[in-house]
Amino acid sequence: MTAAGMRMRPIRLGDVSYPYHYGHDCIDDILAALGEYDADRFLVVTDDNVLALHGEALLEGLRALAPVEVLSLPAGDGMKSLGHLAGHLERAVAAGATRRSVVIAFGGGVPGNLAGVLAALLYRGVRMVHVPTTTVAAMDSVISLKQAINSSRGKNHFGTYLTPQAVYLDVALLRTLPDKQLRSGLCEATKNCLAIAPHAIPAMRKLLADGDLTAPESLLWLLEESLAAKTGVTAKDAREQGSGLILEYGHTVGHAVELCDQKLRGAQGVSHGEAVMFGMLVAARIAAELGVLTADEVAVHDELARALGAPLTVPAGITVDEIMATVRSDNKRGYMTAGPDEAVMVLLRGFGEPLGSPDLPLVTVPLRLVEDVVSGLLPAAARLAEEVAA
């Protein structure tokens, strides 16, 4: 639906497309657009933090359009479970949802994924729109058809593909983010610079060094660069199973660290973006060990991670064995043949230049090399303890 007064960029993923509307201080425009859906009910999938911060801005206006059922849970990756999905589906049906209902993914990438699977399953598919409130969601996860939840063994093991009706972003919502969450999304934008759009690296370095990250012009620049980078590789690979796998840079070890830390600290653990940035530090060092990435290129990774406040060492309390157990069940293993002692990863031979083929930017890496690099990034005290234990 249209959103007067907002900019619009079409997101083309393979043979499907949907509009991405964005602007500043435009919540009224978003509500006007949602009113055109003729929904008999809105199912708002969110988390308790987003609800407390932004619920009033959206929900009052929504209730003037149609009945609203709010499906909210405590924030954190633990939302993405089969149990919570089942609970939301049962509540939606009990509330009177029909095929005319519209699911609104309101928040970050976690409620967005949960909302996507819910919308795909409810009556075999109902309409869904994204209203992102985090930089991770706005600049990364909503630019995708992938919808997934976690298993007890790893991230995004259960899911499907669903095309949203549209994305509606008010960048003013991003300005209220805690600094940790703001920078989490910038880690994903940095991934796009390193792996896809190296021309943007100098501007990103300057922005992080002296820019106001919450200024509307900064957020809009970051958004537009992210949209251009991500759609550039998914235009011909909507399911991100070929060339689009470049977007998985940093995710093999990053997902493992994120999952382990979430189990240890819950929502207080490292964010998705921070974990991916750490995963890029690991990937860069592996590429350097293989002789395909220079020391200077590794140093740029470190510089950006430091400027973003991402972890430069393994988060305290997590062991190398825990990380490696999750790496072994990473969901990229099925894309190519890998031995029991190998991981499948995205590595770079230079900024914007992945190893592997253009159609499948993946390579196999000995698990022992991954383990050695991760071990080298343990905090000093933890490294000494592991050496003593060995």
Side-chain angles (χ1 to χ4, degrees):
M1 298 296 172
T2 58
M6 303 179 75
R7 304 183 200 180
M8 194 282 282
R9 184 182 185 121
I11 304 298
R12 293 188 176 87
L13 306 173
D15 59 358
V16 304
S17 66
Y18 54 94
Y20 193 127
H21 302 275
Y22 58 100
H24 182 255
D25 283 334
C26 55
I27 196 72
D28 289 341
D29 292 321
I30 293 174
L31 288 166
L34 292 173
E36 296 182 30
Y37 281 83
D38 190 30
D40 64 359
R41 189 173 304 274
F42 290 108
L43 305 170
V44 179
V45 180
T46 188
D47 66 49
D48 295 350
N49 290 352
V50 172
L51 202 58
L53 274 172
H54 305 301
E56 185 176 345
L58 182 72
L59 296 180
E60 183 178 354
L62 275 184
R63 291 187 176 112
L65 303 173
V68 176
E69 182 70 16
V70 178
L71 303 171
S72 184
L73 292 163
D77 211 53
M79 289 178 63
K80 290 172 51 172
S81 73
L82 283 170
H84 288 318
L85 172 64
H88 277 2
L89 285 165
E90 292 288 355
R91 278 191 58 190
V93 173
T98 74
R99 288 178 174 83
R100 275 184 53 212
S101 300
V102 173
V103 174
I104 298 178
F106 184 45
V110 172
N113 261 207
L114 183 58
V117 180
L118 183 148
L121 292 178
L122 186 62
Y123 304 121
R124 302 188 189 94
V126 300
R127 295 171 293 172
M128 181 189 72
V129 301
H130 288 288
V131 181
T133 65
T134 70
T135 47
V136 168
M139 299 178 190
D140 185 66
S141 62
V142 303
I143 317 168
S144 177
L145 307 182
K146 297 193 298 184
Q147 320 292 339
I149 58 173
N150 302 334
S151 74
S152 61
R153 297 181 63 85
K155 284 181 64 69
N156 301 329
H157 284 179
F158 310 131
T160 187
Y161 295 89
L162 179 75
T163 305
Q165 298 293 302
V167 179
Y168 299 100
L169 170 67
D170 183 348
V171 297
L173 299 180
L174 306 182
R175 301 185 71 185
T176 64
L177 284 171
D179 187 66
K180 176 185 176 73
Q181 293 302 318
L182 174 66
R183 291 176 182 272
S184 179
L186 301 191
C187 290
E188 287 281 8
T190 298
K191 174 204 70 180
N192 292 337
C193 293
L194 293 169
I196 303 166
H199 68 272
I201 292 175
M204 177 65 81
R205 294 170 80 177
K206 185 175 188 307
L207 180 67
L208 292 175
D210 58 19
D212 178 1
L213 299 180
T214 63
E217 58 271 20
S218 297
L219 291 170
L220 289 169
W221 178 83
L222 287 161
L223 173 66
E224 288 168 353
E225 284 292 334
S226 296
L227 291 174
K230 190 161 185 180
T231 56
V233 298
T234 56
K236 295 182 180 179
D237 182 20
R239 296 198 166 200
E240 299 172 39
Q241 295 178 330
S243 59
L245 285 165
I246 187 63
L247 295 163
E248 293 285 308
Y249 186 51
H251 281 60
T252 301
V253 171
H255 271 169
V257 168
E258 179 185 10
L259 196 65
C260 292
D261 206 32
Q262 291 279 344
K263 287 179 180 178
L264 183 65
R265 279 180 273 269
Q268 301 307 310
V270 295
S271 68
H272 174 74
E274 290 172 327
V276 167
M277 189 72 240
F278 178 77
M280 288 189 277
L281 300 186
V282 173
R285 284 163 170 76
I286 290 172
E289 288 289 331
L290 295 174
V292 296
L293 208 61
T294 68
D296 286 345
E297 289 165 328
V298 174
V300 171
H301 282 70
D302 290 354
E303 173 199 330
L304 291 168
R306 191 173 293 107
L308 287 162
L312 302 176
T313 58
V314 175
I318 301 177
T319 67
V320 174
D321 285 346
E322 289 170 331
I323 293 171
M324 294 307 299
T326 306
V327 166
R328 287 183 175 89
S329 63
D330 184 77
N331 62 7
K332 287 185 289 301
R333 290 184 61 82
Y335 288 114
M336 63 189 303
T337 302
D341 297 323
E342 294 177 317
V344 176
M345 298 183 67
V346 177
L347 297 179
L348 302 181
R349 67 171 81 249
F351 296 140
E353 299 179 43
L355 284 175
S357 70
D359 294 332
L360 192 67
L362 296 174
V363 293
T364 57
V365 179
L367 283 170
R368 173 56 64 183
L369 176 55
V370 179
E371 184 173 350
D372 287 347
V373 170
V374 172
S375 297
L377 290 171
L378 282 169
R383 188 182 310 123
L384 178 61
E386 293 217 356
E387 289 172 355
V388 169

